[in-house]
Amino acid sequence: MRKLGNQENEVSRLQEQLSAAEVVIVGAGAGLSASAGFDYTGERFSRYFHDFGDKYGFADMYSGGFYPYQTLEEYWAYWSRYIWINRYQNPPKPVYNALSELMQEKKYFVLTTNVDHQFQRAGVDKERLFYTQGDYGLWQCSKPCHNLTYDNEEQVRKMIEAQGFVIDGKGQLTLPQGVRPAMSIPTELVPYCPRCGKPLTMNLRADDTFVEDAGWQTASERYTAFLREAQHQRTLFLELGTGYNTPAIIKYSFWRMVSRRPKAFYACINLGEAYAPAELGAKAVCINGDVGEVLKALADGEHV
Ligand SMILES: [Zn+2]
């Protein structure tokens, strides 16, 4: 087990719990996507955003997303690249597929704060999925005057191509040799609300203007029903890469349910932040490691 040598016991304990569990509830945060290679800084940032970085002095995609651009044409030039590479392009490493395979024989449900849609891309049925914080692939009215969301793939593709990028057959965003991308999109591609005419915006939970559309409501109800059904079943709460940005959604709720449910067990896999409260005692295992590495170790172990 590469990089996990000193945690073999923990991985074995998790493996036992996984095998014995009747139900698995996965809670996934940013660390899972980071492990899949969705790096928001470094080489990936410079490859797609060095022009914006040079102009405005930021060095990671998050900061660029918050920058107060003067025009919507420039805002969407930035955001269309961001959306494409983090939502419509495959991740560098198949960590989501590994998780999906590991869950194949299980009855499971996924609760996630990730907005990059990678569970569905890896084949997880949307009926087993509750993405609480939104989706890079959806837009909503910025007011909002109504609570529908809009798929953005086709429009984002047009914005990307208008900047000089090419999207290859595999969905990979590339820039032809010698081309300098435009840093704004044509005005006619700026998206507006079809009802009130205000600009459309990302369907991401940043404040109370977040639209919880019908898909969101249905997923929320499915999750609640799944939890209720699992109440007396042997349940593994498997937390992957969840940090302390929004701990109430997954982490604290998992701790509370595990402490109240006699047949529940809590596992936390997180690089640098693997922790469980002492009161969970023997009902918890923490593995301080890269999520992808641990999933691989679990998958390898199952086939030994
Ligand atoms: Zn509107």
Side-chain angles (χ1 to χ4, degrees), residues 148-300:
L148 291 181
T149 55
Y150 299 88
D151 286 331
N152 62 25
E153 182 170 3
E154 282 318 303
Q155 274 175 279
V156 169
R157 182 186 286 271
K158 285 182 193 156
M159 292 177 181
I160 295 282
E161 290 172 347
Q163 291 170 68
F165 287 96
V166 170
I167 296 167
D168 70 17
K170 290 178 175 171
Q172 190 81 16
L173 190 62
T174 56
L175 197 59
Q177 198 107 38
V179 171
R180 285 175 56 143
M183 292 173 71
S184 66
I185 62 160
T187 301
E188 62 269 24
L189 292 183
V190 173
Y192 291 96
C193 174
R195 298 215 182 156
C196 75
K198 287 225 158 43
L200 287 179
T201 188
M202 301 299 294
N203 181 227
L204 300 175
R205 189 190 299 279
D207 54 37
D208 61 5
T209 62
F210 176 67
V211 165
E212 295 173 353
D213 66 5
W216 190 100
Q217 298 288 355
T218 307
S220 170
E221 285 157 19
R222 282 197 192 112
Y223 178 58
T224 308
F226 191 91
L227 285 177
R228 199 183 307 120
E229 261 175 53
Q231 199 147 20
H232 302 293
Q233 292 178 302
R234 187 158 177 177
T235 308
L236 171 65
F237 286 84
L238 180 60
E239 188 193 293
L240 307 173
T242 301
Y244 284 88
N245 283 337
T246 50
I249 298 171
I250 297 172
K251 194 180 283 293
Y252 297 165
S253 123
F254 276 19
W255 290 352
R256 199 167 52 242
M257 285 189 281
V258 172
S259 78
R260 285 180 189 163
R261 295 179 177 211
K263 291 165 107 178
F265 187 90
Y266 173 73
C268 171
I269 307 174
N270 203 339
L271 191 58
E273 276 189 309
Y275 167 79
E279 64 175 276
L280 294 185
K283 289 174 82 181
V285 64
C286 296
I287 302 173
N288 181 3
D290 174 79
V291 180
E293 294 288 333
V294 178
L295 294 178
K296 189 173 183 312
L298 286 170
D300 289 350

Side-chain angles (χ1 to χ4, degrees), residues 30-46:
L32 178 61
S33 286
S35 174
F38 276 136
D39 190 354
Y40 282 61
T41 60
E43 196 276 327
R44 237 172 136 255
F45 173 80
S46 14

Side-chain angles (χ1 to χ4, degrees), residues 141-146 193-198:
C141 173
S142 55
K143 191 173 178 186
C145 74
H146 67 296
C193 174
R195 298 215 182 156
C196 75
K198 287 225 158 43

